[in-house]
Amino acid sequence: MTNTAASAIPTKRAFGPTLRTLLRDPKVIIGGGFILVLIVLAIFAPWIAPHDPLEQDLMAGLYPPSWMQGAEPGYWLGTDDLGRDVLSRFIFGTRIALTVAFASAIVAAVVGTLVGLLAGYFGGWVDAVVSRLIEIWMAFPAVLLSILIVAILGSGVHSVIFAIAIIDWTRFARVVRAETQAQRNADYVTAGRVLGFNDFRILAGEILPNVLWTVLGLFTLELGLAVVIEAILSFVGLSVSSDTPTWGGMIAQGRTIIYQAWWVFALPLVGLFATVLAFNQLGEGLRRTLDPVMQR
């Protein structure tokens, strides 16, 4: 019996191809490359940004981008109505966007994956309680609930991260629960039980590696959603302080002067759209390349 069980364990799905295979996928290259550029901008913002993003010069207000008539040297993408450099504010806004996105997505992924594994593996009353909780939680509009949570906790990066994480853990829990239910009766799990593995070892060592690529795909999608939610909260003034450059804050400011200075509105909007698209493309490419189920 032991030999039979041991021979069944190798049927567990492998982790996927090498880095070389990943780099052949155009979606991984384009999406990942764009995100890498944003990360570099966020880390080295003080050295890359041409101006102080908070420095105001009313005499330099509403300068157009460098390719338009009336542009001022040194202001490549123009200035806003307070004379602040638009490019510098966009670069520093990348810091807030990525910080909130990665922190909230990591918390949501960890909590949701853990809850989904427990519900899918043990079933019974555990699954019933988790399923009802997910249904109730997902019945609330995500944006409105995030606004309510931040309004209660107060503005700030930590409040925004907590609000997004506490809303979006259900996305991970629901998918991981379904994947775990499909895996718990697989041959390699049965073999593990025959060999005397406890539930924790089966969950952590056998099932989790097989749902990991699904979680990774959801994680990249969640990063894009988190960027959008943070921009919405910034737009309504519930993210960080108004002095801190954020993409949502720039969009809100540019909306009021769109006919005089469309570039203040356009740059963060294009950056937001491109970032979400890049995260989606990266996630689809990673899952298509790494998920053994999609390789069949």
Side-chain angles (χ1 to χ4, degrees), residues 188-238:
Y188 70 87
V189 175
T190 303
R193 293 194 185 103
V194 171
L195 290 174
F197 293 172
N198 58 34
D199 292 332
F200 175 79
R201 184 171 180 180
I202 291 175
L203 279 171
E206 306 297 324
I207 296 180
L208 179 59
N210 287 285
V211 301
L212 196 59
W213 302 121
T214 300
V215 173
L216 180 61
L218 285 174
F219 180 78
T220 53
L221 294 176
E222 175 60 26
L223 289 171
L225 291 173
V227 169
V228 173
I229 295 177
E230 190 283 325
I232 294 174
L233 293 175
S234 298
F235 183 87
V236 298
L238 289 177

Side-chain angles (χ1 to χ4, degrees), residues 247-262:
W247 291 351
M250 293 179 67
I251 293 173
Q253 178 196 11
R255 180 178 60 89
T256 63
I257 56 173
I258 188 171
Y259 295 109
Q260 293 81 23
W262 57 265

Side-chain angles (χ1 to χ4, degrees), residues 70-289:
E72 186 72 14
Y75 296 101
W76 296 352
L77 295 179
T79 61
D80 60 14
D81 54 341
L82 297 178
R84 297 174 296 190
D85 182 53
V86 172
L87 177 59
S88 299
R89 292 181 62 78
F90 176 83
I91 292 174
F92 274 86
T94 306
R95 281 186 158 185
I96 299 296
L98 294 187
T99 298
V100 170
F102 278 99
S104 60
I106 289 173
V107 175
V110 171
V111 174
T113 300
L114 178 60
V115 173
L117 283 172
L118 295 177
Y121 182 77
F122 291 105
W125 67 269
V126 177
D127 184 33
V129 171
V130 170
S131 297
R132 299 296 83 76
L133 181 61
I134 291 175
E135 291 173 0
I136 294 172
W137 210 250
M138 296 191 71
F140 295 97
V143 175
L144 294 181
L145 185 57
S146 63
I147 292 175
L148 176 63
I149 293 174
V150 174
I152 294 174
L153 297 178
S155 60
V157 174
H158 294 90
S159 298
V160 175
I161 292 173
F162 178 79
I164 297 175
I166 203 173
I167 291 170
D168 287 343
W169 68 269
T170 54
R171 303 178 189 274
F172 293 90
R174 185 176 60 172
V175 174
V176 172
R177 167 186 169 274
E179 288 285 331
T180 303
Q181 287 178 331
Q183 295 295 320
R184 67 182 178 183
N185 295 321
D187 291 341
Y188 70 87
V189 175
T190 303
R193 293 194 185 103
V194 171
L195 290 174
F197 293 172
N198 58 34
D199 292 332
F200 175 79
R201 184 171 180 180
I202 291 175
L203 279 171
E206 306 297 324
I207 296 180
L208 179 59
N210 287 285
V211 301
L212 196 59
W213 302 121
T214 300
V215 173
L216 180 61
L218 285 174
F219 180 78
T220 53
L221 294 176
E222 175 60 26
L223 289 171
L225 291 173
V227 169
V228 173
I229 295 177
E230 190 283 325
I232 294 174
L233 293 175
S234 298
F235 183 87
V236 298
L238 289 177
S239 181
V240 295
S241 64
S242 57
D243 292 337
T244 304
T246 61
W247 291 351
M250 293 179 67
I251 293 173
Q253 178 196 11
R255 180 178 60 89
T256 63
I257 56 173
I258 188 171
Y259 295 109
Q260 293 81 23
W262 57 265
W263 53 88
V264 179
F265 177 86
L267 177 61
L269 188 63
V270 171
L272 182 64
F273 175 81
T275 301
V276 174
L277 181 62
F279 276 128
N280 290 344
Q281 293 299 302
L282 176 61
E284 184 177 343
L286 287 175
R287 187 175 181 187
R288 184 176 64 184
T289 306

